[in-house]
DNA sequence: TCTGGGGTCCTAGGACCC
DNA sequence: TCTGGGGTCCTAGGACCC
């Protein structure tokens, strides 16, 4: 049994702000989303006033003022900086660390370390507080899901809240059963409101119910994710520590408007700005994109108004991280979906089909009009190079069209090792 | 003209997480 | 009047290909 710990900061954004502003202590504080629209972090005092996660700010503005509360616009540069310090301190307690989100981290320990983990949790919590000023909760368990559950107890249950540490491994079987019977199934990692309702109808209401349920039956009746969750709750690990994050699949830049917009020009300006931001992040990650997707949408809250939320993706002629072709694609996509007469509330850009910059040479995408030996040789060359670097992946190449032609069509094929020796298997070649 | 399996890609939607 | 942003995974149907 290899124990896991989950460490996460309490009310992370608010706690970051409090480190630098003494006047924010001991009073209700919320941090707001973009456009100051919603409350995305709440101090304990704000939670005590009944302010919910994601609640629109205009609904709580008066309440907050009545209690001398403060509402802050978000400062992501600050939170990002505090996050790196937090992760660095946490990482001192185990060589095996997974940074799970901006304020959460898993650690894994060796079986031999299991006995001393409660003390380690207390020490970790004290050191993080002393070195960063951030309060954290620590949950320890034999699986990631149980570490998460223990963390939930550490932060919310009176038995653990004072220490801020809950070690599932230290609990007796009777104590585990009692806590599990006390917790609704929605307290489990991966089970949200919708699933909790569906499970409730099936007679599974508490964590204890879910631990009792037969995983194979859950898989048949619901899905494999739920079956895994049930196994993890019983102490059978199904989720591994992911020390190296999996490659990114998409980069999103989207925003709501402060007020509805109606013209294509306004949408175009917003999309240009989103595209530029996404391109900056793309380059920072050392990636290129092969597909840009644009979406615009009316406000789902205005049920009295006609709704329209189209999406359009355009393949880039050449995978790129340059802003100019991306801007051009975004404008073209907008032209294909824009309809006058709607009040649009948000616009966004998604970059998809990401691959490492420089992994494929531009040569591959140059016009290769004549079919034949030269072309095959060139494709084969590149395939070797790509396969060498990536193993399996997606290869894009020009199948038809030419420099003077009007049709530039992209074809894509899944790359498999066989293709390096069997070039004839590639559609459009030879 | 009909028959058939095995695939990929795209759009859309639902669910979850932080 | 004002209702976040950035991600993941899964499913389904239609178009298209071999």
């Amino acid at each position: 049994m290899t124990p896991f710990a989950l460490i996460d900061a309490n009310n992370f954004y608010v706690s970051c702000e409090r480190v630098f502003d003494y006047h924010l202590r001991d009073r209700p504080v919320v941090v707001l989303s973009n456009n100051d629209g919603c409350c995305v972090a709440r101090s304990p005092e704000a939670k005590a006033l009944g302010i919910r996660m994601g609640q629109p700010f205009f609904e709580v503005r008066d309440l907050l003022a009545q209690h001398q509360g403060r509402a802050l616009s978000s400062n992501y540069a600050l939170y990002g900086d505090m996050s790196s310090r937090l992760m660095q301190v946490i990482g001192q307690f185990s060589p095996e660390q997974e940074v799970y989100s901006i304020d959460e981290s898993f650690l894994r320990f060796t079986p031999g370390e299991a006995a001393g983990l409660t003390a380690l949790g207390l020490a970790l919590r004290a050191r993080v507080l002393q070195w960063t000023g951030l309060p954290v909760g620590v949950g320890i368990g034999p699986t990631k899901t149980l570490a998460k559950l223990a963390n939930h107890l550490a932060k919310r249950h009176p038995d653990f809240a004072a220490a801020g540490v809950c070690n599932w491994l230290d609990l007796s079987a009777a104590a585990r059963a009692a806590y599990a019977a006390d917790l609704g199934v929605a307290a489990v990692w991966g089970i949200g409101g919708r699933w909790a309702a569906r499970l409730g109808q099936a007679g599974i209401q508490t964590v204890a119910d879910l631990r009792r349920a037969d995983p194979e039956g859950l898989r048949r009746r619901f899905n494999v994710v739920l079956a895994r969750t049930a196994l993890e709750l019983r102490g059978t690990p199904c989720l591994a520590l992911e020390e190296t994050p999996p490659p990114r699949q998409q980069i999103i830049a989207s925003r709501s408007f402060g007020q509805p917009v109606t013209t294509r020009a306004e949408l175009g300006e917003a999309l240009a700005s989103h595209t530029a931001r996404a391109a900056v992040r793309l380059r920072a990650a050392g990636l290129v994109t092969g597909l840009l997707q644009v979406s615009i949408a009316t406000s789902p809250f205005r049920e009295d108004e006609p709704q329209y939320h189209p999406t359009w993706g355009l393949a880039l002629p050449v995978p790129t991280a340059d802003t100019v072709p991306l801007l051009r694609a975004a404008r073209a996509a907008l032209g294909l979906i824009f309809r006058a007469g709607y009040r649009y509330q948000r616009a966004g850009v998604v970059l998809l089909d990401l691959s490492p910059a420089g992994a494929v040479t531009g040569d591959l995408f140059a016009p290769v009009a004549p079919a034949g030996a030269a072309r095959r040789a060139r494709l084969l060359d590149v395939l070797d190079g790509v396969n060498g670097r990536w193993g399996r992946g997606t290869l894009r190449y020009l199948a038809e069209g030419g420099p003077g032609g009007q049709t530039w069509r992209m074809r894509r094929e899944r790359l498999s090792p066989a293709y390096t020796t069997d070039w004839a298997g590639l559609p459009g070649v030879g």
Side-chain angles (χ1 to χ4, degrees), chain A residues 142-173:
Chain A
T143 65
K144 287 172 112 178
T145 303
L146 280 171
K148 265 278 203 183
L149 195 73
N151 179 279
H152 179 95
L153 289 168
K155 284 167 65 165
R156 289 185 179 76
H157 200 285
D159 291 355
F160 306 99
V165 176
C166 171
N167 185 350
W168 188 261
L169 301 168
D170 272 1
L171 301 177
S172 67

CSV table of all heavy atoms in Angstrom, one decimal, chain A residues 142-173:
chain,number,residue,atom,x,y,z
A,142,PRO,N,-5.1,5.7,1.4
A,142,PRO,CA,-4.5,4.7,0.5
A,142,PRO,C,-4.7,4.9,-1.0
A,142,PRO,O,-4.1,4.2,-1.8
A,142,PRO,CB,-5.1,3.4,1.0
A,142,PRO,CG,-6.4,3.8,1.5
A,142,PRO,CD,-6.3,5.1,2.1
A,143,THR,N,-5.6,5.7,-1.3
A,143,THR,CA,-5.9,6.0,-2.8
A,143,THR,C,-6.1,7.5,-2.9
A,143,THR,O,-6.3,8.2,-1.9
A,143,THR,CB,-7.2,5.3,-3.3
A,143,THR,OG1,-8.3,5.8,-2.6
A,143,THR,CG2,-7.1,3.8,-3.1
A,144,LYS,N,-6.0,8.0,-4.1
A,144,LYS,CA,-6.2,9.4,-4.4
A,144,LYS,C,-7.6,9.8,-3.9
A,144,LYS,O,-7.8,10.9,-3.3
A,144,LYS,CB,-6.0,9.8,-5.8
A,144,LYS,CG,-4.5,9.7,-6.2
A,144,LYS,CD,-4.4,9.9,-7.7
A,144,LYS,CE,-3.8,11.2,-8.1
A,144,LYS,NZ,-3.6,11.4,-9.6
A,145,THR,N,-8.6,9.0,-4.3
A,145,THR,CA,-10.0,9.4,-3.9
A,145,THR,C,-10.2,9.4,-2.4
A,145,THR,O,-10.9,10.3,-1.9
A,145,THR,CB,-11.0,8.4,-4.6
A,145,THR,OG1,-10.7,8.3,-6.0
A,145,THR,CG2,-12.4,8.7,-4.3
A,146,LEU,N,-9.6,8.5,-1.7
A,146,LEU,CA,-9.7,8.5,-0.2
A,146,LEU,C,-8.9,9.7,0.4
A,146,LEU,O,-9.3,10.3,1.4
A,146,LEU,CB,-9.3,7.2,0.4
A,146,LEU,CG,-10.4,6.1,0.3
A,146,LEU,CD1,-9.8,4.8,0.7
A,146,LEU,CD2,-11.6,6.5,1.2
A,147,ALA,N,-7.8,10.0,-0.2
A,147,ALA,CA,-7.0,11.2,0.2
A,147,ALA,C,-7.9,12.5,0.0
A,147,ALA,O,-7.9,13.4,0.9
A,147,ALA,CB,-5.7,11.3,-0.5
A,148,LYS,N,-8.6,12.5,-1.1
A,148,LYS,CA,-9.5,13.7,-1.3
A,148,LYS,C,-10.6,13.7,-0.3
A,148,LYS,O,-10.9,14.8,0.2
A,148,LYS,CB,-10.1,13.5,-2.7
A,148,LYS,CG,-9.4,14.2,-3.8
A,148,LYS,CD,-9.8,15.7,-3.8
A,148,LYS,CE,-9.6,16.3,-5.2
A,148,LYS,NZ,-10.0,17.7,-5.1
A,149,LEU,N,-11.1,12.5,0.0
A,149,LEU,CA,-12.2,12.5,1.0
A,149,LEU,C,-11.7,12.9,2.3
A,149,LEU,O,-12.4,13.6,3.1
A,149,LEU,CB,-12.8,11.1,1.0
A,149,LEU,CG,-14.1,10.9,1.7
A,149,LEU,CD1,-15.2,11.5,0.8
A,149,LEU,CD2,-14.5,9.5,2.0
A,150,ALA,N,-10.5,12.4,2.7
A,150,ALA,CA,-10.0,12.8,4.0
A,150,ALA,C,-9.7,14.3,4.0
A,150,ALA,O,-9.9,14.9,5.1
A,150,ALA,CB,-8.6,12.0,4.2
A,151,ASN,N,-9.3,14.9,2.9
A,151,ASN,CA,-9.1,16.3,2.9
A,151,ASN,C,-10.4,17.1,3.1
A,151,ASN,O,-10.4,18.1,3.8
A,151,ASN,CB,-8.5,16.7,1.5
A,151,ASN,CG,-8.2,18.2,1.3
A,151,ASN,OD1,-9.2,18.9,1.0
A,151,ASN,ND2,-7.0,18.6,1.6
A,152,HIS,N,-11.5,16.5,2.5
A,152,HIS,CA,-12.8,17.1,2.7
A,152,HIS,C,-13.1,17.1,4.2
A,152,HIS,O,-13.6,18.1,4.8
A,152,HIS,CB,-13.8,16.2,1.9
A,152,HIS,CG,-15.2,16.7,2.1
A,152,HIS,ND1,-15.8,17.5,1.2
A,152,HIS,CD2,-16.2,16.4,3.0
A,152,HIS,CE1,-17.1,17.8,1.5
A,152,HIS,NE2,-17.3,17.1,2.7
A,153,LEU,N,-12.8,16.0,4.9
A,153,LEU,CA,-13.1,15.9,6.3
A,153,LEU,C,-12.2,16.9,7.1
A,153,LEU,O,-12.6,17.6,8.0
A,153,LEU,CB,-12.9,14.5,6.9
A,153,LEU,CG,-13.9,13.5,6.4
A,153,LEU,CD1,-13.4,12.0,6.7
A,153,LEU,CD2,-15.2,13.7,7.1
A,154,ALA,N,-10.9,17.0,6.7
A,154,ALA,CA,-9.9,17.8,7.4
A,154,ALA,C,-10.4,19.3,7.3
A,154,ALA,O,-10.2,20.0,8.3
A,154,ALA,CB,-8.6,17.7,6.7
A,155,LYS,N,-11.1,19.7,6.3
A,155,LYS,CA,-11.5,21.1,6.1
A,155,LYS,C,-12.8,21.3,6.7
A,155,LYS,O,-13.1,22.5,7.2
A,155,LYS,CB,-11.4,21.5,4.7
A,155,LYS,CG,-10.0,21.7,4.2
A,155,LYS,CD,-9.8,21.9,2.7
A,155,LYS,CE,-10.4,23.1,2.1
A,155,LYS,NZ,-9.9,23.3,0.8
A,156,ARG,N,-13.7,20.3,6.7
A,156,ARG,CA,-15.1,20.6,7.1
A,156,ARG,C,-15.6,19.9,8.4
A,156,ARG,O,-16.5,20.4,9.0
A,156,ARG,CB,-16.0,20.2,5.9
A,156,ARG,CG,-15.9,21.1,4.7
A,156,ARG,CD,-16.9,20.7,3.7
A,156,ARG,NE,-16.8,21.5,2.5
A,156,ARG,CZ,-15.9,21.4,1.6
A,156,ARG,NH1,-14.9,20.5,1.7
A,156,ARG,NH2,-15.9,22.2,0.5
A,157,HIS,N,-15.0,18.8,8.8
A,157,HIS,CA,-15.5,18.1,9.9
A,157,HIS,C,-14.9,18.6,11.2
A,157,HIS,O,-13.7,18.8,11.3
A,157,HIS,CB,-15.3,16.6,9.8
A,157,HIS,CG,-16.2,15.8,10.6
A,157,HIS,ND1,-16.0,15.7,12.0
A,157,HIS,CD2,-17.3,15.1,10.3
A,157,HIS,CE1,-17.0,14.9,12.5
A,157,HIS,NE2,-17.8,14.5,11.5
A,158,PRO,N,-15.8,18.9,12.2
A,158,PRO,CA,-15.3,19.5,13.5
A,158,PRO,C,-14.2,18.6,14.2
A,158,PRO,O,-13.4,19.1,14.9
A,158,PRO,CB,-16.6,19.5,14.4
A,158,PRO,CG,-17.7,19.1,13.6
A,158,PRO,CD,-17.3,18.8,12.2
A,159,ASP,N,-14.3,17.3,13.9
A,159,ASP,CA,-13.3,16.4,14.5
A,159,ASP,C,-11.8,16.7,14.0
A,159,ASP,O,-10.9,16.4,14.7
A,159,ASP,CB,-13.6,14.9,14.2
A,159,ASP,CG,-14.8,14.5,14.9
A,159,ASP,OD1,-15.4,15.3,15.7
A,159,ASP,OD2,-15.3,13.3,14.7
A,160,PHE,N,-11.7,17.3,12.8
A,160,PHE,CA,-10.4,17.5,12.2
A,160,PHE,C,-10.1,18.9,11.9
A,160,PHE,O,-8.9,19.3,11.7
A,160,PHE,CB,-10.3,16.7,10.9
A,160,PHE,CG,-10.6,15.2,11.1
A,160,PHE,CD1,-11.9,14.8,10.7
A,160,PHE,CD2,-9.7,14.3,11.6
A,160,PHE,CE1,-12.2,13.4,10.9
A,160,PHE,CE2,-10.0,13.0,11.7
A,160,PHE,CZ,-11.3,12.5,11.4
A,161,ALA,N,-11.1,19.8,12.0
A,161,ALA,CA,-10.9,21.2,11.4
A,161,ALA,C,-9.8,21.9,12.2
A,161,ALA,O,-9.0,22.7,11.6
A,161,ALA,CB,-12.2,21.9,11.5
A,162,ALA,N,-9.7,21.7,13.5
A,162,ALA,CA,-8.7,22.4,14.3
A,162,ALA,C,-7.3,22.0,13.9
A,162,ALA,O,-6.5,22.9,13.7
A,162,ALA,CB,-8.9,22.1,15.8
A,163,ALA,N,-7.1,20.7,13.7
A,163,ALA,CA,-5.7,20.3,13.3
A,163,ALA,C,-5.5,20.6,11.8
A,163,ALA,O,-4.4,20.8,11.3
A,163,ALA,CB,-5.5,18.9,13.6
A,164,GLY,N,-6.6,20.5,11.0
A,164,GLY,CA,-6.4,20.7,9.5
A,164,GLY,C,-5.9,19.5,8.8
A,164,GLY,O,-5.5,19.5,7.7
A,165,VAL,N,-5.8,18.3,9.5
A,165,VAL,CA,-5.2,17.1,9.0
A,165,VAL,C,-6.1,16.0,9.3
A,165,VAL,O,-6.6,15.8,10.4
A,165,VAL,CB,-3.8,16.8,9.5
A,165,VAL,CG1,-3.3,15.5,9.0
A,165,VAL,CG2,-2.8,17.9,9.3
A,166,CYS,N,-6.4,15.2,8.3
A,166,CYS,CA,-7.2,13.9,8.5
A,166,CYS,C,-6.5,12.8,7.8
A,166,CYS,O,-6.3,12.8,6.6
A,166,CYS,CB,-8.6,14.1,8.0
A,166,CYS,SG,-9.6,12.5,8.0
A,167,ASN,N,-6.2,11.8,8.6
A,167,ASN,CA,-5.5,10.6,8.0
A,167,ASN,C,-6.4,9.4,8.1
A,167,ASN,O,-6.7,8.8,9.1
A,167,ASN,CB,-4.2,10.3,8.9
A,167,ASN,CG,-3.4,9.2,8.3
A,167,ASN,OD1,-3.8,8.5,7.4
A,167,ASN,ND2,-2.2,9.0,8.8
A,168,TRP,N,-6.9,9.0,6.9
A,168,TRP,CA,-7.9,7.9,6.8
A,168,TRP,C,-7.2,6.6,7.3
A,168,TRP,O,-7.9,5.7,7.9
A,168,TRP,CB,-8.3,7.7,5.3
A,168,TRP,CG,-9.4,6.8,5.1
A,168,TRP,CD1,-9.2,5.5,4.6
A,168,TRP,CD2,-10.8,7.0,5.2
A,168,TRP,NE1,-10.5,4.9,4.5
A,168,TRP,CE2,-11.4,5.8,4.8
A,168,TRP,CE3,-11.5,8.1,5.6
A,168,TRP,CZ2,-12.8,5.7,4.8
A,168,TRP,CZ3,-12.9,8.0,5.6
A,168,TRP,CH2,-13.5,6.8,5.2
A,169,LEU,N,-5.9,6.5,7.1
A,169,LEU,CA,-5.2,5.3,7.5
A,169,LEU,C,-5.2,5.1,9.0
A,169,LEU,O,-5.1,4.0,9.5
A,169,LEU,CB,-3.7,5.3,7.0
A,169,LEU,CG,-3.6,5.5,5.5
A,169,LEU,CD1,-2.1,5.8,5.2
A,169,LEU,CD2,-4.0,4.2,4.8
A,170,ASP,N,-5.3,6.2,9.8
A,170,ASP,CA,-5.3,6.1,11.2
A,170,ASP,C,-6.7,5.8,11.8
A,170,ASP,O,-6.8,5.5,13.0
A,170,ASP,CB,-4.8,7.4,11.8
A,170,ASP,CG,-3.3,7.5,11.9
A,170,ASP,OD1,-2.7,6.5,11.5
A,170,ASP,OD2,-2.8,8.5,12.4
A,171,LEU,N,-7.7,5.8,11.0
A,171,LEU,CA,-9.1,5.6,11.5
A,171,LEU,C,-9.4,4.1,11.7
A,171,LEU,O,-9.0,3.3,10.9
A,171,LEU,CB,-10.1,6.3,10.6
A,171,LEU,CG,-9.9,7.8,10.4
A,171,LEU,CD1,-11.0,8.3,9.4
A,171,LEU,CD2,-10.0,8.5,11.7
A,172,SER,N,-10.1,3.8,12.7
A,172,SER,CA,-10.6,2.4,12.9
A,172,SER,C,-11.7,2.2,11.8
A,172,SER,O,-12.3,3.1,11.3
A,172,SER,CB,-11.2,2.2,14.3
A,172,SER,OG,-12.4,3.0,14.4
A,173,ALA,N,-11.9,0.9,11.6
A,173,ALA,CA,-13.0,0.5,10.7
A,173,ALA,C,-14.3,1.1,11.1
A,173,ALA,O,-15.1,1.6,10.2
A,173,ALA,CB,-13.1,-1.0,10.6
